[in-house]
């Protein structure tokens, strides 16, 4: 009996490239985080449905290179596995340290500094045979040297996990049915078969999952006659881009697959504001092959209000419940924030949201109809932003003289300046459904930026088209992130809350 309901997105907000692991009755899941820290969240569940964020692999400077790495690089595609009492996360610090192996004895605890391997590729997977040999299987997209960007297909070699060095020349494995970008390989030993499951077709609308089997972890591989076993390409399915899957035996002894997918919006379903999120579906086995159910949407998990109230913060002491869900760009929130009496304070570094490393702290957008409102003291220049990357963001910024509303889209910046109210209670950004006729239906949503004055009156100062803050337009691997930033002076955050937009 398949678990029901299966909330989808399972983990809302950009959480792409999910890898899932079962140890006893516990389940763990890790996702990509690119330029954000803390990096590589570890979620925990006992039922595959309800997940709690328990830790991050990268919580310290140096675990990922980040500085000098292009936005969208760094933490790509973890695989989380367990062997002989040790937890492993294999991952690529793309255009940074390369393919790394992190370990931990307790997934909720501290992870290692990351062992550098001599793998040139992405999407590393680990599996062990009965003799204890560890195989690393990866997508042979060359990330270094003169042949950067050349794709060698799915590659595999035995690896020494104490040195990170390959024990043999990588061999080429089955690389799918001819789709572009064979990647995200996972090797499993299930029953009498070894299975090699990959993604192919690219992580956009052509994405898919294909699988092959063999009597050996090294092959030769026989492709599934029904490949691709999962795809949404060319369909009206509510979840598109499905691919990059990982298999797990559920608590009911039925099989499941987690994978990335996109909730697309607009008349032609062309825009995805949250980017690639984690989804789940059920899997049955027929004649030794997986039959994967289409991914259904059930937004139970993505409609929670969130409030972080920092009024009780003591000087120099982060609140115990300081949410792990805050992320910062290239540095951890604890590196950019200072606990002061009654709030958490950002200090300007002269960099604004057009820069790759501003003083910023934020949360992923998880729901379409969301409104983030921030109560903060701005002593200088700072505000609230909805960010995709440093070239794509909408800001409402408080200055000593006025309020600036800004849309930065690549080489274009549109700004308007507005009088500040006598007493500014809060600033907000909210996403609402488009209104009007045919032309309005084209876009995903509208983004409204405004303030609330001391007597609770709201003013919307600008409305921007949300399609430009989407994975498709920004060609970004991440998703929208609401965040507070400070360019000059200081911004003391008293309260950060997310509720349903009230349009
Ligand atoms: C990930 C790979 C991919 O390593 O994008 O488009 C990378 N496919 O599977 C980052 O998500």
């Amino acid at each position: 009996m398949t678990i029901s309901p299966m909330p989808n997105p399972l983990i809302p907000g950009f959480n792409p490239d999910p890898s899932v692991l079962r140890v006893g009755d516990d389940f763990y899941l890790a996702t990509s985080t690119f330029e954000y820290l803390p990096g590589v969240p570890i979620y925990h569940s006992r039922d595959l449905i309800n997940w709690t964020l328990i830790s991050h692999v990268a919580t310290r400077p140096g675990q990922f290179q980040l500085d000098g790495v292009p936005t969208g690089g760094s933490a790509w595609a973890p695989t989380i596995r367990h062997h002989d009492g040790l937890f492993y996360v294999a991952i690529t610090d793309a255009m940074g340290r390369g393919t790394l192996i992190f370990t931990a004895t307790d997934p909720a605890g501290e992870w290692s500094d990351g062992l550098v391997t001599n793998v040139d590729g992405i999407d590393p997977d680990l599996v062990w045979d009965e003799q204890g040999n560890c195989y690393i299987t990866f997508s042979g997209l060359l990330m270094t040297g003169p042949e950067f960007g050349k794709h060698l297909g799915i590659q595999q070699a035995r690896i020494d996990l104490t040195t990170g060095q390959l024990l043999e020349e990588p061999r080429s494995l089955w690389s799918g049915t001819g789709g572009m970008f064979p990647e995200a390989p996972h090797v499993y030993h299930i029953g009498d078969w070894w299975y090699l499951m990959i993604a192919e077709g690219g992580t956009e609308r052509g994405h898919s999952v294909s699988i092959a089997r063999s009597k050996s972890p090294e092959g030769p591989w026989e492709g599934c006659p029904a490949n691709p076993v999962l795809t949404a390409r060319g369909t009206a399915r509510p979840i598109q881009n499905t691919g990059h899957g990982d298999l797990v035996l559920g608590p009911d002894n039925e099989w499941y697959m987690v994978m990335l997918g996109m909730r697309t919006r607009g008349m032609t379903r062309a825009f995805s504001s949250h980017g690639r999120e984690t989804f789940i579906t059920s899997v049955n086995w027929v004649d030794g092959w997986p039959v994967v159910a289409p991914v259904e949407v059930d937004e139970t998990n993505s409609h929670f209000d969130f409030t972080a109230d920092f009024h009780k913060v003591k000087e120099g002491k982060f609140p115990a419940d300081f949410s792990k869900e805050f992320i910062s760009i290239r540095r951890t929130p604890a590196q950019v924030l200072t606990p002061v009496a009654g709030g958490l304070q950002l200090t300007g570094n002269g960099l604004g949201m057009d820069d790759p490393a501003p003083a910023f702290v934020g949360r992923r957008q998880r729901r379409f109809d969301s409104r983030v409102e921030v109560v903060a003291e701005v002593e200088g220049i700072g505000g609230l932003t909805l960010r995709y990357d440093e070239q794509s963001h909408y800001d409402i910024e408080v200055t000593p003289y006025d309020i600036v509303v800004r849309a930065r889209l690549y080489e274009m910046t549109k700004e308007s300046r507005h009088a500040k109210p006598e007493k500014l209670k809060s600033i907000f950004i909210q996403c609402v459904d488009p209104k009007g006729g045919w032309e309005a239906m084209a876009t995903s949503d509208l983004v409204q930026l405004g303030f609330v004055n001391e007597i609770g009156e709201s003013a919307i100062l600008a409305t921007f088209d949300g399609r430009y803050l989407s994975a498709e337009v920004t060609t970004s691997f991440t998703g929208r992130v609401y965040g507070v930033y400070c360019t000059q002076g200081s911004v003391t955050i008293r309260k950060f809350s997310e509720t349903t937009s009230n349009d």
Side-chain angles (χ1 to χ4, degrees):
M1 195 278 287
T2 297
I3 297 172
S4 172
M6 279 196 275
N8 266 328
L10 191 68
I11 300 185
F14 85 85
N15 278 280
D17 312 325
S19 175
V20 65
L21 165 69
R22 176 175 184 170
V23 179
D25 294 332
D26 292 293
F27 296 89
Y28 302 94
L29 191 147
T31 62
S32 300
T33 42
F34 310 96
E35 71 268 17
Y36 289 99
L37 285 177
V40 192
I42 304 291
Y43 299 95
H44 172 257
S45 176
R46 298 275 291 184
D47 59 11
L48 269 190
I49 295 306
N50 300 292
W51 291 88
T52 306
L53 177 63
I54 60 170
S55 68
H56 288 84
V57 171
T59 55
R60 307 182 298 276
Q63 286 178 289
F64 285 101
Q65 182 173 317
L66 290 170
D67 286 335
V69 171
T71 292
S74 195
W76 284 14
T79 293
I80 184 167
R81 294 294 185 254
H82 181 261
H83 184 72
D84 279 355
L86 198 55
F87 287 84
Y88 294 83
V89 165
I91 190 168
T92 299
D93 180 6
M95 298 170 275
R97 297 177 69 200
T99 292
L100 308 170
I101 310 277
F102 292 95
T103 56
T105 50
D106 173 0
E110 200 158 77
W111 288 79
S112 64
D113 291 340
L115 175 69
V116 177
T117 74
N118 60 341
V119 166
D120 187 1
I122 62 171
D123 301 2
D125 169 80
L126 300 177
V127 73
W128 289 261
D129 66 13
E130 287 76 12
Q131 290 70 43
N133 298 305
C134 181
Y135 291 85
I136 189 164
T137 308
F138 54 94
S139 174
L141 176 67
L142 300 184
M143 299 295 287
T144 60
E147 294 195 295
F148 180 92
K150 182 178 177 184
H151 208 304
L152 304 180
I154 302 298
Q155 305 284 296
Q156 182 193 73
R158 282 176 295 116
I159 187 170
D160 178 338
L161 290 174
T162 55
T163 64
Q165 298 306 296
L166 298 182
L167 297 170
E168 56 194 346
E169 268 307 299
R171 66 186 135 270
S172 292
L173 302 188
W174 177 84
S175 293
T177 61
M180 69 174 179
F181 288 134
E183 54 199 0
H186 288 306
V187 179
Y188 309 92
H189 196 187
I190 303 173
D192 299 333
W193 292 101
W194 289 85
Y195 289 92
L196 167 60
M197 188 166 84
I198 71 167
E200 58 177 326
T203 199
E204 295 76 21
R205 298 291 189 268
H207 215 194
S208 65
V209 176
S210 294
I211 195 165
R213 69 187 182 192
S214 170
K215 289 297 185 183
S216 154
E218 300 180 16
W221 302 95
E222 169 205 3
C224 175
N227 277 331
V229 291
L230 175 71
T231 188
R233 65 177 169 240
T235 72
R237 301 232 39 99
I239 308 302
Q240 291 288 317
N241 298 51
T242 46
H244 205 114
D246 201 4
L247 293 172
V248 68
L249 181 63
D252 56 353
N253 270 337
E254 303 278 351
W255 283 86
Y256 295 87
M257 183 193 291
V258 298
M259 84 293 296
L260 73 81
M262 278 195 183
R263 290 184 279 171
T264 56
R265 300 262 282 178
M267 180 169 50
T268 58
R269 314 242 321 269
F271 306 110
S272 316
S273 43
H274 302 76
R276 300 169 302 164
E277 302 171 290
T278 290
F279 293 85
I280 189 170
T281 192
S282 58
V283 176
N284 287 309
W285 293 87
V286 176
D287 301 334
W289 292 115
V291 177
V292 185
V295 181
E296 303 299 346
V297 67
D298 168 344
E299 293 175 322
T300 313
N301 265 5
S302 52
H303 273 68
F304 297 121
D305 289 353
F306 171 85
T307 297
D309 189 331
F310 302 126
H311 282 95
K312 293 196 170 64
V313 170
K314 302 254 182 303
E315 185 84 23
K317 190 167 171 29
F318 279 107
D321 60 353
F322 174 49
S323 165
K324 294 193 182 92
E325 292 182 34
F326 282 107
I327 52 179
S328 291
I329 304 166
R330 291 186 166 83
R331 285 172 293 163
T332 64
Q335 285 178 290
V336 296
L337 288 166
T338 306
V340 298
L344 293 180
Q345 191 171 79
L346 288 167
T347 302
N349 54 11
L351 303 178
M353 291 313 297
D354 288 350
D355 296 288
F360 166 96
V361 64
R363 268 182 102 240
R364 298 168 177 81
Q365 180 175 347
R366 291 161 168 76
R367 56 200 278 196
F368 292 109
D369 57 350
S370 65
R371 171 191 175 98
V372 164
E373 189 165 345
V374 169
V375 176
E377 268 85 72
V378 179
E379 306 284 338
I381 297 175
L384 178 61
T385 184
L386 185 56
R387 176 186 194 265
Y388 231 97
D389 56 35
E390 59 265 34
Q391 302 183 90
S392 317
H393 52 88
Y394 296 157
D395 320 329
I396 177 165
E397 182 171 277
V398 180
T399 81
Y401 320 103
D402 53 15
I403 294 180
V404 181
V405 180
R406 175 184 307 113
R408 164 69 195 275
L409 293 170
Y410 291 90
E411 65 278 2
M412 295 176 293
T413 298
K414 176 179 177 181
E415 281 189 0
S416 57
R417 308 190 83 97
H418 307 266
K420 277 201 294 191
E422 274 301 299
K423 273 267 182 195
L424 184 63
K425 173 180 173 286
S426 62
I427 51 179
F428 67 85
I429 298 179
Q430 65 178 15
C431 299
V432 298
D433 285 341
K435 291 170 193 44
W438 176 260
E439 66 290 342
M441 291 161 61
T443 187
S444 53
D445 57 349
L446 299 177
V447 181
Q448 298 175 331
L449 304 94
F451 67 78
V452 179
N453 67 17
E454 60 170 346
I455 56 173
E457 291 167 333
S458 282
I460 292 174
L461 301 181
T463 297
F464 296 135
D465 190 320
R467 82 182 78 185
Y468 304 112
L469 296 190
S470 63
E472 292 82 1
V473 171
T474 65
T475 64
S476 166
F477 281 142
T478 58
R480 286 182 190 171
V481 177
Y482 283 103
V484 184
Y485 68 95
C486 179
T487 303
Q488 279 178 22
S490 68
V491 173
T492 304
I493 310 167
R494 306 289 183 194
K495 189 174 178 184
F496 180 111
S497 57
E498 178 175 351
T499 56
T500 305
S501 50
N502 53 15
D503 178 38

